[in-house]
Amino acid sequence: MTDATGTSVPGEPFDVLIVGGGPVGASAAALLQLAHKDARQPLRVAVLELNRPAATAPDAPLDSRVSALSRASERILTAIGAWPLIPPSRMQPYERMRVWHESVQPRSTDVLEFDAAYASEPNLGYIVENRLIQATALTAFESAGGKVIAGDLSRLHVHDRHVELATSAGTLLCRLVVGADGARSSVRESVGLAAEKSSYRQTAIVANVRTELPHERTAWQRFLRTGTLAFLPLADGCSSIVWSADDCAAEPLLAMSRSDFERELLRQSDGVLGAVRLRTDRQSFPLRKLTAHRFTAHRCALIGDAAHVVHPLAGQGVNLGLLDAAALCELISAAVRTREDPGAQRVLRRYERWRKSEIEPITLAIDGFNRYLAHGAGPLSRIAQRGLALVNRTDEVKRFFITRALGLAGELPEVARHPPSGRPSIS
Ligand SMILES: Cc1cc2nc3c(=O)[nH]c(=O)nc-3n(C[C@H](O)[C@H](O)[C@H](O)COP(=O)(O)OP(=O)(O)OC[C@H]3O[C@@H](n4cnc5c(N)ncnc54)[C@H](O)[C@@H]3O)c2cc1C
């Protein structure tokens, strides 16, 4: 039973309650809701979200918090009906990635170039505003009959057969709680799931810029000895920069005037896109790494940044989180269809094994790129720098990396495996 605000009255548990309606939690909720929409006994799914983004006017300037979404993510967002809600004027497909180290010339053959055409794909992915991914996924969930509860989790208590959550919207009960509440997850802390946390001692500086030369539907990334500078192409012809700079370098970059910062951008990008003009203020994000030792506990599962936070240099955070969401929902749905408890230990264990085995090698690889390409001048760094040029000359290896970038490697959930037209219906 629910009251007028949609809040569950204790005694009437939700089957699944997702804490955090960010891009990952909202998508998980929509996947579950849609998979059981027409079932005789539909699953009762709700999202608790503290800070729902306001609707974006179609002609509003593009926000500077964007994500590079992989093909797998596109398929998941299409399956829940969020993808068609993203206006084409606000998403930019990118067809190439050009990655180079500061020791080589940006237009030389030593630049690693990934082209969608190598994999016979129309593009490598899309650059989309985070708030739009979140907003469209929440809308898709509600359109399928799901409930978004505005509120903040303060405490939770796990009982044998249910979980009790104290929130600013009242007490909520559920059979399974999913922590999708980001890097500082209250769910993770409340159930006592320990995590390995460390600082990259870097700060990501994010802004939108206009460049003198066109972005050529290309994601540009230069490894500097003090971090990484990326230019992601935007639908309005501008680019979103993500400059992951060592803290000691980031501090003066944030403090300097706009025109000095623009000159630094020109210098550190090696002029590859010509002169650069800031279109938005600079925002900064301290970069931290986090890996939860376990992704599940009794009647609890973690997905997205609540479970793992990786360095943004490979643009993988949302993409990995959406695959967590799809994997967990696939296992829950299969269990519920055979009348099993959605919080059954067997289901949660399988989810944990599946996603941990995918996430761990990716985290190691991303950290390796950061340590040896974005830093250091030792022998391993020199080998890694030469490796970029070697990858560029080896078609097989290149194809391997493109498949990874498309998010189509590893053990994929069903919903991410096929293009929407070739996939069996989600229900
Ligand atoms: C500079 C930068 C660039 C990036 N670029 C990319 C990229 O190109 N591609 C990519 O895939 N990833 C990228 N990422 C990573 C990506 O932003 C994150 O991985 C992603 O936002 C994680 O999504 P999430 O839904 O798990 O968590 P979040 O986005 O953190 O969402 C968590 C949600 O939970 C809610 N919440 C939190 N606490 C509570 C509570 N107590 N009660 C109720 N609700 C709560 C919050 O309001 C929020 O809506 C980048 C990250 C950074 C820092």
Side-chain angles (χ1 to χ4, degrees), residues 229-246:
L229 175 58
F231 285 70
L232 304 176
L234 296 178
D236 63 359
C238 293
S239 297
S240 159
I241 60 143
V242 181
W243 191 342
S244 304
D246 290 350

Side-chain angles (χ1 to χ4, degrees), residues 27-320:
S27 301
L31 280 166
L32 275 179
Q33 187 72 28
L34 280 160
H36 299 275
K37 196 160 75 93
D38 301 323
R40 212 153 8 119
Q41 229 188 335
L43 210 60
R44 300 186 67 247
V45 184
V47 167
L48 178 72
E49 171 54 49
L50 164 69
N51 208 357
R52 189 175 185 161
T56 308
D59 56 351
L62 293 175
D63 193 48
S64 54
R65 280 308 312 275
V66 298
S67 287
L69 293 180
S70 68
R71 183 73 72 250
S73 295
E74 176 190 350
R75 289 176 182 171
I76 293 168
L77 294 171
T78 303
I80 62 171
W83 195 256
L85 302 177
I86 303 174
S89 60
R90 301 189 80 90
M91 62 158 89
Q92 175 64 52
Y94 67 102
E95 291 158 13
R96 269 171 304 278
M97 284 173 72
R98 290 180 69 85
V99 181
W100 75 106
H101 189 263
E102 65 173 27
S103 57
V104 305
Q105 290 299 312
R107 301 271 176 184
S108 79
T109 51
D110 283 342
V111 171
L112 176 56
E113 182 172 294
F114 292 136
D115 197 314
Y118 276 107
S120 308
E121 290 282 338
N123 56 58
L124 294 173
Y126 294 80
I127 311 295
V128 185
E129 294 157 282
N130 286 13
R131 66 179 182 196
L132 207 48
I133 308 171
Q134 177 181 16
T136 53
L138 284 172
T139 302
F141 172 55
E142 286 176 320
S143 306
K147 237 175 218 349
V148 180
I149 302 167
D152 184 5
L153 172 72
S154 36
R155 257 173 307 110
L156 70 76
H157 192 74
V158 183
H159 300 270
D160 189 32
R161 299 184 65 81
H162 71 278
V163 183
E164 188 178 341
L165 297 94
T167 81
S168 56
T171 301
L172 302 172
L173 304 179
C174 61
R175 294 207 284 163
L176 171 68
V177 62
V178 176
D181 48 346
R184 297 204 196 128
S185 171
S186 307
V187 173
R188 190 186 63 233
E189 300 292 328
S190 302
V191 299
L193 283 171
E196 192 181 318
K197 301 177 196 168
S198 55
S199 168
Y200 283 110
R201 297 200 182 91
Q202 286 182 325
T203 299
I205 303 171
V206 173
N208 287 355
V209 298
R210 182 163 289 289
T211 54
E212 189 181 3
L213 302 173
H215 56 51
E216 301 174 29
R217 295 174 161 236
T218 300
W220 306 82
Q221 180 148 300
R222 188 177 189 224
F223 286 109
L224 311 165
R225 286 197 178 86
T226 53
T228 323
L229 175 58
F231 285 70
L232 304 176
L234 296 178
D236 63 359
C238 293
S239 297
S240 159
I241 60 143
V242 181
W243 191 342
S244 304
D246 290 350
D247 285 338
C248 55
E251 224 174 283
L253 285 170
L254 286 163
M256 67 180 52
S257 69
R258 286 172 75 97
S259 52
D260 285 348
F261 184 73
E262 289 167 349
R263 266 192 293 279
E264 266 312 287
L265 277 174
L266 173 66
R267 196 169 71 84
Q268 298 289 0
S269 62
D270 224 352
V272 75
L273 292 174
V276 184
R277 291 282 167 269
L278 277 169
R279 294 287 303 259
T280 63
D281 287 338
R282 286 156 278 182
Q283 281 184 278
S284 65
F285 303 88
L287 295 180
R288 300 181 65 77
K289 177 181 164 183
L290 180 148
T291 314
H293 295 308
R294 306 277 320 264
F295 289 2
T296 62
H298 186 57
R299 297 203 170 275
C300 171
L302 302 177
I303 57 176
D305 275 19
H308 44 77
V309 180
V310 295
H311 195 287
L313 73 83
Q316 285 300 317
V318 176
N319 294 310
L320 293 175

